Amino acid sequence: TVYGEETGIVWASNRYDSVTLTRLGLGRGLAVTGLQIANAYAALANGGKTVAPHLVMKIVSTNGVASVYKAKEPFKKVISDKTSKTIASMMKDAMIAAGKEFSVDLEGLDVAGMISETRIPVKGEYSKTDYNVSAAGFFPVASPKWVLVIGFGKPYPDYSAGRVALPAFSDIARRMTSDFAGKKD
């Protein structure tokens, strides 16, 4: 358990109507936290296997080699390896398309992910002006090492995930990969 973490809102499939089911992939009809998104992406990166997430305050390095946290509890299979690879391939195409559309350089990152803009609920309705925007993904797709979720609440004056979250995602992902380039796993 992580202090302050919410359970999220994901209903049983029989509670969704046929229209909502077509929009679940866009994030409609559910509410999840950034940690839950990261855990889902980690499961995709891990061939459909998930493990409880752990927060790490820092990575202590000895002689330039970063120590890596190894999960002690068993993995839980949530989707097949084939399904996770299919979804990862689609998400890689989505990130390439988003990078091209918003002129964000993702070259060399080999990232699978999505960008999102969601209206913020206010008094039982969705705001017409306030949004949360995010970019999430894992990389490199060929041999995943990292999951990154970045979000902004009420960005102003622009609320486009492609212009706000995606450039930040690209910059942070590049820093992560360059900081660990050449270091042993």
Side-chain angles (χ1 to χ4, degrees):
T1 347
V2 177
Y3 178 76
E5 181 65 4
E6 296 288 328
T7 57
I9 301 168
V10 181
W11 295 335
S13 60
N14 63 353
R15 288 196 59 193
Y16 291 106
D17 61 35
S18 59
V19 174
T20 305
L21 282 171
T22 66
R23 289 165 173 72
L24 282 175
L26 301 171
R28 303 273 167 83
L30 54 95
V32 294
T33 67
L35 183 58
Q36 291 163 346
I37 291 169
N39 198 32
Y41 277 60
L44 285 171
N46 199 25
K49 295 179 283 189
T50 187
V51 69
H54 294 79
L55 297 181
V56 178
M57 185 178 293
K58 62 182 173 179
I59 296 174
V60 180
S61 153
T62 308
N63 299 328
V65 178
S67 61
V68 177
Y69 175 82
K70 300 284 186 198
K72 292 181 177 84
E73 59 279 319
F75 289 104
K76 179 181 176 187
K77 190 77 166 168
V78 291
I79 58 174
S80 72
D81 187 53
K82 180 180 178 185
T83 299
S84 69
K85 285 181 180 173
T86 300
I87 293 170
S89 175
M90 293 186 311
M91 292 171 78
K92 181 176 178 175
D93 292 345
M95 286 299 261
I96 290 168
K100 287 178 182 174
E101 179 180 350
F102 295 102
S103 300
V104 175
D105 181 19
L106 298 173
E107 189 69 35
L109 284 178
D110 187 32
V111 62
M114 298 289 290
I115 59 174
S116 175
E117 298 147 10
T118 56
R119 290 181 180 182
I120 297 172
V122 179
K123 297 180 184 172
E125 296 182 5
Y126 287 110
S127 170
K128 301 214 184 317
T129 58
D130 294 332
Y131 290 79
N132 288 322
V133 300
S134 62
F138 63 89
F139 50 96
V141 177
S143 178
K145 293 187 186 319
W146 298 285
V147 172
L148 175 61
V149 178
I150 184 164
F152 296 89
K154 297 183 183 181
Y156 181 83
D158 194 344
Y159 64 84
S160 165
R163 288 188 291 274
V164 176
L166 189 57
F169 180 96
S170 175
D171 184 50
I172 292 167
R174 286 192 189 291
R175 289 173 190 236
M176 289 169 68
T177 56
S178 69
D179 285 350
F180 285 90
K183 292 186 180 174
K184 232 179 156 177
D185 287 346

